[in-house]
Amino acid sequence: MKSLHDAELLQSDARAIEEWCRVWQMDLNQSKCGILRVSRNVQPIQFPYLLHGETIKSVDHQKDLGVTITTDLKWSKHVLEVTSKANKMLGFVRRSTFDTKDVLVRKTLYSALVKSKLSYCSQVWAPQSVANIQSLERVQRRASKFILSLPFRTDISYPKRLSRLNMLPITYWHEYL
């Protein structure tokens, strides 16, 4: 009996969405729509959501405003995407500024183009797991060597490089934000 009631509620939700779309003259692209169920259950109860008579597919992650949200609300997938983008941008900056040796210029480029990717919306997804923190910190480790024009293998430790550049570790930066 309960599942029949739940199914009726879902259908009324679908009708409400369709009505809202009609009133605001907004068409939804059903191929881009997805249902993200957030639950601690291994197999949550799944009812089909309908939109214009067609079932909307279930997804295990969804990107909203640049932040990837998963069904288990863990941020590993998002951190992987963020670090990938930041590493690509750092590589671009390194290739583009090969002849530039000015530390201030390199630091400014890093802050504007790379660090901004590492801190975008971090109030929502700030990493708590050690693996995610290390993944983010790895980007800044590489960047500090680049900014100071140091070789791949260097005797200067990461904390010393940060103090030379007057920068905070990424974890402290996220707490600051």
Side-chain angles (χ1 to χ4, degrees):
M1 186 71 173
K2 184 174 170 40
S3 63
L4 180 62
H5 177 68
D6 290 342
E8 290 172 357
L9 284 174
L10 291 174
Q11 293 306 320
S12 68
D13 289 346
R15 284 190 295 273
I17 292 171
E18 288 174 2
E19 178 64 20
W20 183 88
C21 289
R22 187 189 63 72
V23 168
W24 290 97
Q25 298 175 357
M26 176 185 264
D27 291 329
L28 294 179
N29 186 344
Q30 289 173 304
S31 66
K32 293 183 180 179
C33 292
I35 301 297
L36 178 72
R37 291 179 173 88
V38 177
S39 174
R40 290 185 182 188
N41 295 337
V42 176
Q43 291 186 344
I45 300 170
Q46 295 191 6
F47 291 103
Y49 280 86
L50 300 175
L51 186 61
H52 303 298
E54 292 184 35
T55 304
I56 301 173
K57 66 181 182 280
S58 290
V59 294
D60 61 343
H61 67 278
Q62 184 68 42
K63 187 176 268 194
D64 190 20
L65 298 175
V67 178
T68 303
I69 301 169
T70 59
T71 56
D72 59 0
L73 288 181
K74 293 190 178 171
W75 301 107
S76 299
K77 182 166 182 57
H78 179 71
V79 169
L80 180 69
E81 291 175 3
V82 166
T83 55
S84 175
K85 286 181 184 178
N87 277 320
K88 288 176 185 175
M89 185 57 71
L90 181 59
F92 171 74
V93 170
R94 288 176 79 170
R95 288 187 306 274
S96 301
T97 61
F98 186 75
D99 295 334
T100 306
K101 301 297 180 197
D102 186 12
V103 173
L104 185 59
V105 171
R106 287 180 170 207
K107 182 180 174 187
T108 303
L109 286 169
Y110 165 73
S111 296
L113 300 174
V114 179
K115 196 172 185 180
S116 62
K117 294 197 180 310
L118 296 174
S119 60
Y120 174 73
C121 236
S122 64
Q123 295 85 349
V124 174
W125 61 268
Q128 301 298 317
S129 72
V130 174
N132 288 344
I133 291 169
Q134 288 174 343
S135 179
L136 291 166
E137 208 68 52
R138 226 175 277 126
V139 176
Q140 185 159 295
R141 284 177 184 271
R142 286 182 56 228
S144 65
K145 289 179 188 177
F146 158 70
I147 294 168
L148 293 171
S149 299
L150 297 173
F152 177 73
R153 295 207 180 257
T154 181
D155 293 335
I156 302 172
S157 68
Y158 177 57
K160 286 182 183 177
R161 293 191 306 255
L162 290 181
S163 66
R164 230 189 235 184
L165 294 169
N166 196 22
M167 290 171 51
L168 291 172
I170 292 294
T171 53
Y172 294 168
W173 179 251
H174 284 160
E175 286 181 28
Y176 171 74
L177 291 177

